[in-house]
Amino acid sequence: MKEDSFETLAVHAGEDREAHFGALSVPIYPASVFAFTDPDEGIAIHNDEMPGYYYGRLGNPTQTALEQAMAEIEGGEAALALASGMAAISAAAFSLLKSGDHVVAPESMYSTTTNFLRYIGGQFGIKISFVDAANAEAYAAAIRPNTRMFWVESPSNPLVRITDIAEVSSIGRAAGIATVVDNTFATPYNQRPLSLGADLVIHSATKYLGGHSDLTAGIIVGRTELVEAARKGPAKFYGGNIAPQVAWLVLRGIKTLALRMERHNENAMRLAEYLSELAAVKAVHYPGLADHPGHETAARQMRGFGGMLAADVRTADAAKSLVGKLRVCTFATSLGGVETLIQPVALMTHSTLTPEERSQAGVSEGLLRVSVGIENIDDICKDIYRALMEDRT
Ligand SMILES: *Cc1c(COP(=O)(O)O)cnc(C)c1O
């Protein structure tokens, strides 16, 4: 299947009709226990000397189908599915790191990842350097003898900043440092970090992969050796396994990923251009705009610019007022679903940071994050315009 186009791959990835009586939809295996049919085989499966299933926390055929699908669409050797994006992030980090190690990570990214790295810094003596990830050289400059992991998130939350993945990965490779890319915002439709040299990709499948705001899940994809280390270490010991029902939902989401991303890309581009023309909007951050500082890198490493953008409506009050007046778009956190979601960033995901930290992360007080959905783009634009202009004279 490797030679197929992404659209075809996404529809058929993870299929194994022979194993499932020809079923077009992979069955859901809710079993938490699998019996052994032969003494020698049973012992071999249990002792990891033979592939097979025996206990729910360690996998089932539905989870395997999702893992195969993700490995295929990200172009990786192996994948591991977990209960959430954070379960994937923590499993990746804990399989690569031990106390005394050092990590280089973006100063602006998904805030729970920032807080997770701070947490393991405090609890386990792991040192973190937060750098300007738009500058690949900043990763090189931050390397210490004990650096073990480069963290990359591109496009990043919430400012959709772009990191040159090939450049950072090659700096990492030369220094024996693993590069891990959070590919949640881009999805493999728009960007395949492993083909750019990254060692591991992680996803919050809660977002675009699921695509319908109805599940939480996470994925790790990459070289077999690294993925299996995460499976046999943190995934097994911390027990963040994905439920088979959820694995099935993610598989279903992946079938329409190409279609949805095509529309997300198109709608976000149109909305970014529209908002750029409005006087009430001070700045629009979208990698598809020629004035975005990461535009050229994004054009090189991405097929489309994604469905996420940020817009600065000048004040926290204006941002708060706008989200209270939406009719088509929805005031909600999270992203990646079919519906357009808007949130005032400084008042919410970044409210736990101090004003100095916010400003360091580039989050202005009037910043709105928009997850542009697949609704009619004119309806989205009109709704935001009306919400922005109501009460203004
Ligand atoms: C949502 C998100 C996460 C965390 O994923 P959960 O599924 O909520 O645990 C990590 N990274 C990014 C970029 C995200 O958007």
Side-chain angles (χ1 to χ4, degrees), residues 235-390:
K236 179 175 180 177
F237 299 137
Y238 303 155
N241 55 296
I242 189 169
Q245 293 83 356
V246 174
W248 181 84
L249 272 177
V250 179
L251 268 171
R252 190 168 68 167
I254 290 171
K255 289 180 192 291
T256 56
L257 182 65
L259 268 181
R260 287 185 285 109
M261 291 316 297
E262 207 178 305
R263 179 64 72 88
H264 284 298
N265 286 344
E266 195 182 304
N267 278 0
M269 189 71 216
R270 296 256 318 263
L271 182 63
E273 284 167 347
Y274 176 78
L275 294 176
S276 300
E277 299 294 314
L278 300 182
V281 176
K282 187 174 164 198
V284 178
H285 307 271
Y286 185 63
L289 296 176
D291 66 358
H292 185 287
H295 177 68
E296 273 172 37
T297 305
R300 215 178 326 116
Q301 69 189 17
M302 300 178 79
R303 168 179 178 172
F305 298 105
M308 297 300 298
L309 62 83
D312 184 354
V313 293
R314 297 179 192 276
T315 65
D317 280 348
K320 187 176 167 187
S321 153
L322 182 143
V323 296
K325 291 174 185 151
L326 298 168
R327 288 181 203 149
V328 174
C329 307
T330 303
F331 168 31
T333 186
S334 198
L335 61 114
V338 290
E339 53 286 285
T340 299
L341 304 182
I342 307 187
Q343 70 166 71
V345 180
L347 299 172
M348 297 181 67
T349 44
H350 285 62
S351 66
T352 52
L353 305 183
T354 64
E356 294 74 46
E357 286 171 336
R358 265 205 295 280
S359 135
Q360 166 95 2
V363 172
S364 56
E365 299 303 299
L367 199 71
L368 292 167
R369 187 185 73 180
V370 187
S371 173
V372 187
I374 64 169
E375 300 97 333
N376 182 294
I377 186 59
D378 296 329
D379 295 339
I380 298 171
C381 291
K382 270 187 237 160
D383 192 45
I384 294 176
Y385 181 80
R386 192 192 36 71
L388 193 58
M389 292 311 184
E390 244 176 51

Side-chain angles (χ1 to χ4, degrees), residues 84-86 89 110 113 153 182 184-185 204 206-207 216-217 335:
S84 70
M86 289 314 300
I89 287 169
Y110 184 70
T113 307
E153 189 182 289
D182 185 333
T184 299
F185 272 33
S204 168
T206 312
K207 315 297 168 49
T216 67
L335 61 114

Side-chain angles (χ1 to χ4, degrees), residues 126-149:
I126 291 165
K127 297 271 177 277
I128 323 286
S129 297
F130 292 103
V131 300
D132 173 7
N135 173 15
E137 282 306 312
Y139 281 85
I143 293 177
R144 298 179 191 172
N146 54 341
T147 307
R148 294 285 173 267
M149 183 171 85

